[in-house]
Amino acid sequence: MKRIGLLVAIVAGTVVLSKLLLGNMLGLGLCEAGEAWLSRAGAGSGLAIIALLSADLFLPIPSSLVMVLSGAAFGVAGGSLLSFVGSVGGEWLGFEL
């Protein structure tokens, strides 16, 4: 139990220190870069989301992360629709195979 707590503390400390190093010391604004990247989402990004969710049948793709990013890029309604189409597409493909 002590090992798990130590591991969690090390991972949390690494995440916080990396954020401080990148943001404060090197001057890299990750939030601004992420917002700019999400604002340029278009039809190609939508197709990529559908393809990633459908490919989750074969590859270990974190579908929950893809769904959250689709919601952030296309809004709640658009992201939900894209996630739904991609998930159903993957399920349909799995059924057919």
Side-chain angles (χ1 to χ4, degrees):
M1 194 65 169
K2 288 183 181 182
R3 285 184 170 176
I4 293 173
L6 182 62
L7 180 64
V8 168
I10 289 172
V11 169
T14 303
V15 169
V16 169
L17 288 176
S18 66
K19 168 66 173 128
L20 290 175
L21 175 70
L22 290 174
N24 295 343
M25 298 178 99
L26 298 177
L28 298 174
L30 297 179
C31 292
E32 293 84 12
E35 288 174 3
W37 180 69
L38 287 173
S39 68
R40 292 189 315 254
S45 300
L47 290 175
I49 289 169
I50 291 171
L52 284 171
L53 289 172
S54 296
D56 191 30
L57 179 67
F58 303 108
L59 302 170
I61 299 170
S63 59
S64 57
L65 178 64
V66 173
M67 289 180 183
V68 168
L69 286 175
S70 75
F74 294 101
V76 175
S80 297
L81 182 64
L82 287 172
S83 298
F84 178 73
V85 169
S87 295
V88 169
E91 293 166 4
W92 173 74
L93 183 62
F95 178 76
E96 291 297 324
L97 291 175

